[in-house]
Amino acid sequence: MSVDTVARASEIAGPRWGASALVRSEALKLWSLRAPRVVVLFMFLVPVVLAVIRVLPVPLFTDSAPARDAAPILFESIALGALPVAFFAAILGIISMSSEYTDDVLAGSLTAVPRRSLLLLAKAIPATALAGVITVVGSSAAAWIAAVTLESRGYLTAPWGDTVVVILSVAGGGALFTIVGISAAALVRTAVTAVLIVLGVVFLLPRLLMVVAGDVGLRVAGWLPAAALQALTTHPPAQAIALDGTVTSTLSPGEGLIALVIVAVILLGVSLLVFLRRRVHRVIASGGTRWAHPSRRHARRRLPGATFGGVLRSEALKALTMPAVRWLLALSWVVNVWLAYRWAAASTPEEHFPAPMVPGDLELVTFDQTYWSITAGLALSHFLIAGVGAVIMTSDFSTGNIRPALAAVPSRGRLILAKVVVAVGASLAVAITSLVVAAPLVTETLQRQGYTPSLFAPILFISIAKGCIALGLTAAIGSGLGILVRSAAGTLLTVASVFFVFPYLLAWLQEPTKGTPFVWFANISQLFPDPVEAAHSHAANEYYVVLDVENRLHFWPEHDMPMLVLWAVGTVLIGWLTFRRRGV
């Protein structure tokens, strides 16, 4: 953002203009950035595309059709876009708040608007309003397309009054998620950490609670933002749309709204208290410069004329000095060990096979429980490891050090390869040590639960090896996406879309599109990388179907690992080819 823009915004925001002028100023500042415009475009397109995919496979109505009432299909077409739109809305809120830190203009804004509470609210209002309006427009377009398609095929749709309620539910969820994003960015200052917080609360925390806290965790997870949004946007007779591994909420739409409002208000209040007490403008004025120069000095001292080994050492030192990288690696290590123990202690053989068990049942369930326990932590740690690759790869772009780095290492391929090797090497070190530590802990815990594992069983070593390989490849995917996106926050958003949002939404569409040509579009869900499934194993006598009679594709660990390799090699190669031709 230019100095003139900040000056104009500061002038408008003066005491003479009042709160309304300040809100208009913040709205102009938000829309002047490129990233919000891209996010808004996706917020409009995603619900429309998902609605089209949902209704196109619906056949013409005939007397043999089970029902003529298409209200469930219409409501599902609208609600399908609720979660991705809410996630994009949270990103919009993060951009709105974190841009002040990124562009180093917060000191000027606070000079013009000394009341920090007013500044924070002025940022929240236009971002929330923009998210709500664009969600209404996109969901309305999706509802209109779905209704016209269904009526043209002879079905009866719901009254427009009921449809409007569903649209407003999706828009309300998006607006409240915008507040969550703004609050996260105000708490932690950086867009990367704010994105990690939002992703953790939406995708990772429910899984963690289900594994760690059992039934209590299930009840608590039902009130978290993802489950509350699902409840808010699920209106009978439509089915609830839940991601794999998350909780299907039992709340009513009204209770879901209350839960989201409570979370948004609490986060906004906490962020306001933190924002009021921080000496933000002084940190930005001095700290930003202090962070940037050491990297340049290290680059000048170590990189010129260095061999690949020298470049590798330099990149390793830079990576290990980043707090985000250290935190992500430490959390991954803890998650791998802790969840392995919790999964091993979560069940007994009798819960899998009712007594009396025939010979071989105990060995079979021990085999399954061993690899499930060893790789249980990957359900959370694979996203953290992808974040490691993203942060390492985009650090030079974020700090502005990419030009000095390329001046010292003109070979872009060598620089990219060094960063990928560092990311993969650090991830492998964490994966190997954590899974090796978890192995005896899992073995002892399973024995106490009544299983018959052995510390020298082949499945134990196979699970450790596959888990390490899967996490190493995941770090490479995060690195490759980082080369393409160049922004750490944008890369984390892309990682979440690749690993969580679109695979699960498309997999959900396999059921309504089965037996039609459109199922092949839903089958794309199987082509996304899945490190958790890639680390699993199957018994030698286990039978599975890859393509069923209704043309639904189901990949298994034997296919997921090669797909993970293709994604790792492909993203890094495409990123390198793109980086060779793009300016910096």
Side-chain angles (χ1 to χ4, degrees):
M1 188 180 301
S2 65
V3 177
D4 294 336
T5 304
V6 177
R8 288 197 300 271
S10 302
E11 181 181 350
I12 294 174
R16 184 178 58 181
W17 290 88
S20 61
L22 178 60
V23 171
R24 288 197 301 272
S25 171
E26 292 300 328
L28 289 174
K29 286 165 63 177
L30 177 63
W31 194 248
S32 67
L33 301 172
R34 179 184 178 185
R37 297 196 294 268
V38 175
V39 171
V40 165
L41 178 62
F42 277 102
M43 290 178 68
F44 174 78
L45 291 177
V46 167
V48 173
V49 172
L50 291 175
V52 169
I53 297 171
R54 176 65 183 91
V55 297
L56 280 181
V58 178
L60 291 172
F61 177 77
T62 61
D63 293 336
S64 60
R68 194 175 184 184
D69 183 13
I73 301 176
L74 176 61
F75 291 170
E76 289 170 7
S77 302
I78 303 170
L80 263 175
L83 182 60
V85 165
F87 183 63
F88 283 124
I91 299 301
L92 185 66
I94 291 173
I95 295 171
S96 173
M97 189 64 205
S98 65
S99 61
E100 295 282 345
Y101 300 99
T102 305
D103 297 331
D104 201 7
V105 297
L106 187 56
S109 297
L110 288 176
T111 302
V113 188
R115 293 181 59 186
R116 299 188 183 188
S117 58
L118 183 61
L119 178 63
L120 184 60
L121 293 177
K123 287 186 170 296
I125 291 172
T128 303
L130 178 60
V133 170
I134 196 62
T135 305
V136 167
V137 173
S139 299
S140 299
W144 179 78
I145 293 172
V148 169
T149 304
L150 293 171
E151 290 174 355
S152 67
R153 298 182 181 185
Y155 292 89
L156 300 176
T157 57
W160 273 106
D162 297 338
T163 306
V164 169
V165 171
V166 182
I167 293 173
L168 293 179
S169 299
V170 176
L176 291 171
F177 265 70
T178 307
I179 297 176
V180 172
I182 291 175
S183 303
L187 282 171
V188 297
R189 304 180 184 179
T190 65
V192 177
T193 312
V195 171
L196 285 172
I197 290 176
V198 172
L199 292 175
V201 171
V202 174
F203 297 110
L204 305 183
L205 186 57
R207 297 185 179 196
L208 182 63
L209 287 174
M210 286 189 292
V211 174
V212 173
D215 293 337
V216 177
L218 285 174
R219 290 194 293 270
V220 174
W223 287 83
L224 291 178
L229 177 67
Q230 176 207 117
L232 173 61
T233 56
T234 301
H235 293 260
Q239 296 180 0
I241 300 173
L243 296 182
D244 185 26
T246 60
V247 179
T248 301
S249 179
T250 58
L251 303 178
S252 66
E255 292 171 335
L257 176 61
I258 293 173
L260 272 180
V261 169
I262 291 174
V263 171
V265 170
I266 291 175
L267 286 176
L268 186 61
V270 173
S271 65
L272 182 59
L273 291 176
V274 173
F275 190 58
L276 289 174
R277 291 179 173 273
R278 272 182 178 161
R279 300 169 65 181
V280 182
H281 57 291
R282 292 190 180 183
V283 172
I284 292 299
S286 60
T289 304
R290 193 166 57 244
W291 293 337
H293 284 298
S295 296
R296 291 192 181 105
R297 289 199 301 268
H298 283 299
R300 294 191 186 102
R301 185 171 68 247
R302 294 181 178 273
L303 292 181
T307 62
F308 179 73
V311 178
L312 193 62
R313 286 193 299 272
S314 176
E315 292 300 326
L317 288 174
K318 286 200 296 183
L320 293 178
T321 57
M322 300 178 197
V325 172
R326 296 198 300 268
W327 274 105
L328 289 171
L329 291 174
L331 287 174
S332 300
W333 197 96
V334 173
V335 163
N336 283 340
V337 176
W338 175 248
L339 289 188
Y341 164 73
R342 291 298 305 174
W343 189 276
S347 65
T348 61
E350 289 74 17
E351 295 178 17
H352 297 276
F353 284 98
M357 289 188 290
V358 300
D361 285 347
L362 184 57
E363 289 77 9
L364 180 60
V365 74
T366 298
F367 179 92
D368 291 339
Q369 201 65 13
T370 299
Y371 77 74
W372 272 106
S373 300
I374 289 293
T375 60
L378 270 68
L380 301 183
S381 64
H382 80 276
F383 178 76
L384 302 176
I385 290 298
V388 170
V391 172
I392 290 176
M393 189 57 67
T394 59
S395 60
D396 283 340
F397 294 101
S398 302
T399 59
N401 289 336
I402 186 63
R403 292 182 183 275
L406 288 177
V409 186
S411 173
R412 298 191 177 193
R414 176 181 294 183
L415 182 64
I416 291 300
L417 180 59
K419 289 180 177 292
V420 172
V421 171
V422 169
V424 174
S427 302
L428 284 176
V430 168
I432 293 171
T433 55
S434 61
L435 296 183
V436 168
V437 169
L441 189 62
V442 165
T443 303
E444 182 182 355
T445 305
L446 289 176
Q447 288 173 351
R448 288 201 307 265
Q449 295 296 106
Y451 297 94
T452 58
S454 170
L455 191 57
F456 303 100
I459 184 58
L460 200 66
F461 295 99
I462 292 173
S463 299
I464 292 174
K466 294 182 72 173
C468 294
I469 294 172
L471 289 180
L473 293 172
T474 302
I477 293 174
S479 302
L481 294 176
I483 308 171
L484 292 169
V485 181
R486 298 191 176 195
S487 161
T491 303
L492 292 174
L493 171 62
T494 306
V495 166
S497 302
V498 168
F499 283 106
F500 292 107
V501 180
F502 292 115
Y504 291 142
L505 286 177
L506 291 173
W508 186 89
L509 286 169
Q510 282 186 310
E511 180 63 25
T513 58
K514 62 183 181 182
T516 71
F518 299 99
V519 74
W520 292 104
F521 185 85
N523 285 340
I524 296 176
S525 63
Q526 302 300 305
L527 303 181
F528 284 89
D530 191 341
V532 181
E533 286 294 326
H536 289 167
S537 302
H538 283 298
N541 59 346
E542 190 167 352
Y543 175 76
Y544 54 85
V545 176
V546 176
L547 188 66
D548 62 22
V549 294
E550 294 174 319
N551 291 331
R552 287 177 296 182
L553 189 66
H554 305 278
F555 275 2
W556 299 85
E558 291 79 1
H559 314 102
D560 285 312
M561 185 61 80
M563 188 60 62
L564 199 63
V565 173
L566 289 176
W567 269 86
V569 174
T571 51
V572 172
L573 183 59
I574 294 173
W576 171 64
L577 293 175
T578 304
F579 186 53
R580 288 181 61 190
R581 291 169 171 79
R582 290 173 65 182
V584 294

